[in-house]
Amino acid sequence: MTLTFEQIPDLSVAAPDAPRSRALTRLRVQPQRRTVLRGIAFSALAVGGFVASATSRFSSPAHAETGPGGLTGWDRNDCKDAFPNGYSPQKDNVGSHTARAAACFGGAYRGSTYCASGWHRSGTVRDEPVTYTYKPVSNSCGATTKKNAWRWTTPDGVWWRCSDGNTTVSAGGTTNTYFTICRY
């Protein structure tokens, strides 16, 4: 038997002789199936959105992460084993976040300039006549366990990753190495 296009039933309209669903008998207006499914989907999205936002509000401001090359991050944000009295974040002095709230600490230079894929850059860049060599380090914070980066939540509610590294600048026979912080 061949079915023509006109014989295919429309899913959004019930057959004329179809009984009314018991679940919807108290409604004054007969809702269409798609309306009910849209309501269920919207409710699921609303509950999911609430759970996601509530989870991020109550989570710890700092937690461990692992970056490229096995770089490990702090699971706390105070580095008290190296700085027993903690520290106060310092504003960026290079890059695109210099006007934002302070997030990272230490380093001769702090900012987005030293980031690649959210962690401290690695590799060499030649910008005639200067050569920049970037190297992530995990020896700047921690007395027993050394880490490379940590997450920090600023007073405006934004979290940032602060990743440690060294930047070596070579030009005209002079080479200088600076402790730098990637703020991502």
Side-chain angles (χ1 to χ4, degrees), residues 137-181:
V137 296
S138 295
N139 61 2
S140 301
C141 192
T144 56
T145 303
K146 305 291 186 181
K147 302 284 182 168
N148 168 269
W150 62 96
R151 277 177 110 167
W152 184 263
T153 302
T154 52
D156 57 1
V158 179
W159 72 261
W160 301 93
R161 180 184 303 114
C162 302
S163 180
D164 300 341
N166 287 325
T167 301
T168 302
V169 181
S170 301
T174 304
T175 299
N176 293 304
T177 299
Y178 303 96
F179 178 51
T180 53
I181 309 288

Side-chain angles (χ1 to χ4, degrees), residues 63-133:
H63 58 81
E65 296 179 297
T66 303
L71 296 174
T72 54
W74 282 97
D75 51 4
R76 43 191 288 190
N77 58 16
D78 58 11
C79 192
K80 285 199 176 201
D81 56 344
F83 299 97
N85 297 320
Y87 61 85
S88 296
Q90 299 168 316
K91 290 185 75 74
D92 288 12
N93 51 14
V94 295
S96 58
H97 305 300
T98 55
R100 305 287 305 255
C104 302
F105 171 77
Y109 299 98
R110 291 169 304 283
S112 59
T113 305
Y114 305 101
C115 299
S117 301
W119 293 78
H120 198 284
R121 294 175 74 159
S122 178
T124 301
V125 176
R126 188 151 174 80
D127 187 11
E128 284 291 335
V130 182
T131 300
Y132 300 92
T133 303

